[in-house]
Amino acid sequence: MTDMAGVGLVLGAGGLTGQAYHAGVLAGIQDATSWDPRTASLVVGTSAGSAAGTYLRLGLSARDFAALLRQAELTPEGVELVGRLGPTGDWTEPTVRRAWKAPHPNLLGQLVRAPWRVRPEALLGVAIPPGRVDTESWTAALRPLAGSEWPTAPLWICSVRMDDTRRVVFGRSDAPVTDVATAVGASSAIPGYFAPVTIHGRRYVDGGVHSPSNADVVRREALDLVIVSSPMTTSRNAPVRNASHAARRHFRARLGQEVRRLRRAGMTVVVFQPSEADLAAMGGRAMDHTRTGAVVEQARETTMRRIAARPLPELLPMGA
C-alpha cells in the first residue's frame, strides 16, 4: 500500500470484561490479517481501553495480551514484559475516605450559561459521591514497566475533568503533562467506585462518562482507517432483553454519531461491537474477573468470523 496516512485504533470503556473483549478483538484481527496492532499510527483509549492501549504501546503484542488474560503461555518477549510489571494490590477494598464536594463554580457557571454543553452522563458522573477505592491499587503495577516517560508512539488517554465535565485527552499537546500510569488511573476512575485521580490539583474521573468510545477525538487526524473496539455497545443483531442491553443501544447510537463525523472527515471506519454470544460470555458485571478468559476466546472467534465474512479494507497494511 502506498501513500497511506495511517491507521487509528480506538479502544473504548468496559471494565475488566471490556478489557478482555479488546484482547480478543485485537488478537482476532492479528490472526485473521497478520496486521500487528502495535503498529497503529495512533491509539486512543478510554477506561478499559486506556489500559489495553498502554499495553500495546509498551510493547505487549495482541496475542500475548490475550494469552495473559487467558492465563495461557506467553512468548519469550511477552514473559519479559509481563515480568517487569509490579504487584497488583486489592482493588476491591475501599481505602479512601469518602469526601463529597460541592460542584465546582466552573461547572455551575457552565450549567447557567450553556447547559446544553454539559452531557447528562458526565454531570451524573461528577455529581455522585466519589468512590472509595484508590486506582493506585492496580495502576501501581504499570509503573515499573511504563516509567515516568510517555510512550514514544502516539497514545491518547481520555478522561473527564470534574471541574467542568470537559473531556481531557492525556498524551495530546493540549492536555496537562502526566505519566501514563496516572493517566490510565484517571481514565478508569469509575464514578462511585474508584476515587477521582488528582493531576496538578484538578480531579479526573472515567472518560467513559463523556463517551464510552470517544472515537471522535481523531476526527482532525490524518488517518485513512480507524478501527474501533467498543465493549459497551452492541451489534445490530443482538436483542434488547434488559436495561443493560437498552443502555448498550443508547451507547451504540452515541458511537454512531461519532463514526459519522469521522466518515464525513474522509476516514474509513470499521467498528467491532459485542455480538449476542459475546454478551453472554461477558455477563452482567463489567468487573467480573472470572469471565475474562472466556470473553477473550469468544471475542476472538467472533472477530475472525466477522473478518472472514467481511474482510477489513485494503487500507489495512496486511502483514505489517
Side-chain angles (χ1 to χ4, degrees):
M1 173 95 194
T2 59
D3 299 325
M4 179 169 176
V7 178
L9 184 59
V10 176
L11 307 173
L16 293 179
T17 57
Q19 189 176 88
Y21 179 79
H22 289 316
V25 168
L26 295 172
I29 291 173
Q30 184 165 15
D31 288 344
T33 69
S34 298
W35 178 69
D36 187 342
R38 292 176 295 185
T39 66
S41 305
L42 171 63
V43 175
V44 176
T46 300
S47 198
S50 71
T54 296
Y55 282 130
L56 290 177
R57 285 315 198 206
L58 294 178
L60 191 68
S61 72
R63 289 168 179 152
D64 274 331
F65 183 33
L68 176 65
L69 296 187
R70 291 174 52 240
Q71 297 184 326
E73 184 176 357
L74 304 175
T75 66
E77 179 188 33
V79 169
E80 193 277 329
L81 283 167
V82 171
R84 289 161 54 194
L85 291 171
T88 300
D90 186 356
W91 52 265
T92 64
E93 286 295 319
T95 58
V96 179
R97 183 177 179 180
R98 195 183 296 279
W100 185 82
K101 295 182 179 180
H104 194 278
N106 289 349
L107 176 57
L108 295 176
Q110 188 161 331
L111 286 171
V112 172
R113 293 190 303 271
W116 58 88
R117 293 182 179 176
V118 180
R119 293 193 175 189
E121 304 99 312
L123 181 61
L124 178 63
V126 303
I128 65 176
R132 297 185 57 210
V133 177
D134 191 345
T135 58
E136 191 68 13
S137 61
W138 60 273
T139 55
L142 276 175
R143 296 190 183 281
L145 178 59
S148 59
E149 299 295 324
W150 199 266
T152 302
L155 171 65
W156 291 359
I157 293 178
C158 302
S159 185
V160 168
R161 189 168 58 208
M162 294 188 70
D163 291 1
D164 51 12
T165 71
R166 295 291 298 274
R167 176 173 62 191
V168 174
V169 185
F170 293 107
R172 203 166 63 176
S173 60
D174 60 351
V177 176
T178 189
D179 63 275
V180 70
T182 300
V184 168
S187 181
S188 307
I190 301 171
Y193 186 83
F194 286 114
V197 173
T198 300
I199 299 174
H200 301 306
R202 308 184 81 167
R203 298 188 303 160
Y204 296 85
V205 293
D206 197 311
V209 303
H210 178 87
S211 164
S213 305
N214 287 299
D216 59 317
V217 299
V218 307
R219 65 189 182 279
R220 294 189 176 94
E221 300 306 301
L223 300 171
D224 288 328
L225 172 65
V226 178
I227 298 173
V228 181
S229 174
S230 178
M232 289 188 67
T233 57
T234 181
S235 62
R236 191 183 307 276
N237 59 359
V240 177
R241 291 176 175 166
N242 52 43
S244 173
H245 286 198
R248 287 178 175 277
R249 287 295 178 91
H250 169 73
F251 295 143
R252 176 187 170 90
R254 173 67 55 80
L255 174 58
Q257 295 172 347
E258 297 172 357
V259 168
R260 286 191 289 275
R261 295 184 74 180
L262 301 186
R263 288 174 175 159
R264 285 197 296 269
M267 301 175 191
T268 298
V269 185
V270 177
V271 180
F272 292 89
Q273 303 177 91
S275 66
E276 184 173 7
D278 296 334
L279 293 177
M282 295 168 81
R285 294 190 298 126
M287 300 300 287
D288 188 351
H289 68 280
T290 67
R291 290 179 172 267
T292 55
V295 173
V296 171
E297 293 179 5
Q298 178 58 53
R300 176 182 171 277
E301 291 175 6
T302 300
T303 299
M304 294 190 70
R305 284 199 303 270
R306 184 257 173 94
I307 294 174
R310 289 179 289 164
L312 290 181
E314 292 183 1
L315 293 171
L316 190 67
M318 304 297 186

